Amino acid sequence: MNDILAVRISSRFIFVNLLPTMAVIFLVGGLLAAGAPGQAPSWRALEDSISGLTLISALLAAFAVLVASVVLHPLAYPMIKVVEGYWGRFPFGAALSLRVSRRYRTWRQDLETYENEHGGTAEERAWLPPAGTPVLPTGLGNVLQAGEIRAGARYGYRTADIWHRLSPLMSPAVRAEVSDTRNQMDTAARLCVFGLLCVPISMALLWNHEVWLLVPVGCYLFAWAAYRAATAAAYRFCEAAAVAVDFHRLQLWDALSLARPSNFLEEQTEMAALLCHVLGVGDGLYEDDMAKLTYSAAPAWLGGQVGSFPGQQQTPPPEGGGGVGAS
């Protein structure tokens, strides 16, 4: 189990942290080695710089890339949240977010109007936050928010409240799908951020070298493609999260030694909200509501141990942590 965990952690670090950092360092370092900004970059200058590297220099460069990846690792989550559209902590971020998200609010209103008159917009509206919840200024953020809400709301749950407890109960197949799609989304989102960062950096290095200004244009196009890839991966991740709730939400009741809801209506209209209140807020329930959450013995399929499956070792939550949309 430790070997499997090590492989998964290392693969996430490689794809989400190491590769994007290497891309930026190699681009900027390559431009500097090719002669920028003092002269127009040339392949001859780049070849001379590379051929002049000693083994020790190459090892030091590789070590520098690894150190930079480790140092930047804590910034992965904030970077991805920026791509999702959570700009409130930036100067003027709240006002900018409100202004940019106007097109999504208008789109949601137009879809609702068209649905009332003609119908047929269910699929488009499914990937926008439902009415009564705020929209975000980016498509990626709206897809993740809508997917997170829908995954649990179908049964009456707030997905963010149950996700941490649900994660250890996932079957290997569901866990792998959630983890893989999450890594794909996070990698693409971080490549998008780094691609955008390379635009001003490469412009500063190549400002006086005419045709080489196509490099920052290429960086922008790469960032745009990475953003589209992140959005596409977000659709798959949200579907995987919905499957996890479908298959394992009732096992959460068993793992907590609580009696399952007796039927779907009771779960959706009453019991799910009570459980989310306990897991999310933790207090404030009336005695009548607390009495509805009754304990039950660990069922036979748990083998007497809450949270374990027959023949299955305990495994950690899917990589990425946080809520469904966290990184």
Side-chain angles (χ1 to χ4, degrees), residues 5 31 56 90 108 115 117 146 152 250 264 271 309:
L5 178 59
L31 290 175
I56 295 178
F90 295 98
R108 183 171 66 182
E115 176 69 22
E117 295 177 356
L250 292 180
F264 184 84
M271 300 300 289
F309 298 86

Side-chain angles (χ1 to χ4, degrees), residues 107-129:
W107 185 25
R108 183 171 66 182
Q109 293 171 358
D110 292 344
L111 288 174
E112 291 171 354
T113 300
Y114 189 89
E115 176 69 22
N116 293 333
E117 295 177 356
H118 307 285
T121 65
E123 184 174 354
E124 291 83 358
R125 289 186 298 111
W127 294 109
L128 283 173

Side-chain angles (χ1 to χ4, degrees), residues 4-327:
I4 295 175
L5 178 59
V7 170
R8 288 183 177 178
I9 291 177
S10 62
S11 64
R12 177 173 174 82
F13 176 78
I14 290 172
F15 288 106
V16 179
N17 296 286
L18 186 59
L19 289 182
T21 304
M22 286 178 58
V24 174
I25 292 178
F26 284 174
L27 174 64
V28 176
L31 290 175
L32 292 173
Q39 63 183 34
S42 66
W43 293 111
R44 176 61 62 85
L46 180 60
E47 291 174 356
D48 291 342
S49 298
I50 294 176
S51 62
L53 285 177
T54 63
L55 177 59
I56 295 178
S57 299
L59 291 176
L60 288 175
F63 180 72
V65 172
L66 181 61
V67 170
S69 300
V70 173
V71 170
L72 293 175
H73 176 66
L75 297 178
Y77 180 68
M79 284 183 184
I80 294 170
K81 297 303 286 185
V82 169
V83 181
E84 291 179 25
Y86 293 95
W87 302 341
R89 294 186 178 182
F90 295 98
F92 309 107
L96 180 62
S97 176
L98 186 64
R99 184 177 183 86
V100 177
S101 62
R102 184 178 302 167
R103 65 190 180 107
Y104 287 104
R105 293 196 301 273
T106 302
W107 185 25
R108 183 171 66 182
Q109 293 171 358
D110 292 344
L111 288 174
E112 291 171 354
T113 300
Y114 189 89
E115 176 69 22
N116 293 333
E117 295 177 356
H118 307 285
T121 65
E123 184 174 354
E124 291 83 358
R125 289 186 298 111
W127 294 109
L128 283 173
T133 58
V135 296
L136 293 171
T138 69
L140 175 62
N142 286 316
V143 167
L144 285 174
Q145 186 177 12
E148 175 180 342
I149 292 173
R150 187 173 64 255
R154 296 167 299 155
Y155 304 102
Y157 299 95
R158 292 186 298 273
T159 310
D161 289 339
I162 65 172
W163 189 253
H164 281 296
R165 283 85 172 182
L166 191 70
S167 297
L169 305 177
M170 294 180 189
S171 65
V174 172
R175 180 191 306 281
E177 182 67 14
V178 170
S179 179
D180 290 346
T181 54
R182 181 58 184 275
N183 288 343
Q184 293 171 20
M185 180 182 67
D186 289 353
T187 300
R190 197 161 189 190
L191 285 171
C192 173
V193 173
F194 281 5
L196 290 176
L197 289 176
C198 285
V199 173
I201 295 174
S202 58
M203 285 187 67
L205 293 175
L206 302 170
W207 184 254
N208 295 319
H209 304 304
E210 298 176 351
V211 69
W212 283 95
L213 287 176
L214 290 174
V215 172
V217 174
C219 291
Y220 176 79
L221 293 176
F222 175 81
W224 176 83
Y227 175 79
R228 300 298 299 178
T231 304
Y235 286 107
R236 292 185 56 210
F237 172 71
C238 290
E239 293 293 348
V243 170
V245 175
D246 292 339
F247 288 178
H248 301 293
R249 72 188 191 284
L250 292 180
Q251 294 175 7
L252 178 60
W253 293 85
D254 299 329
L256 295 172
S257 296
L258 293 173
R260 293 184 176 190
S262 59
N263 55 65
F264 184 84
L265 179 62
E266 182 184 32
E267 178 186 23
Q268 188 181 61
T269 61
E270 185 175 18
M271 300 300 289
L274 293 179
L275 183 64
C276 287
H277 187 93
V278 171
L279 298 180
V281 178
D283 58 11
L285 282 178
Y286 293 108
E287 290 186 5
D288 291 343
D289 291 332
M290 286 190 288
K292 297 174 183 176
L293 296 172
T294 59
Y295 289 121
S296 64
W301 66 269
L302 280 174
Q305 293 184 350
V306 174
S308 63
F309 298 86
Q312 177 184 344
Q313 294 177 308
Q314 283 292 330
T315 51
E319 304 166 27
V324 174
S327 293

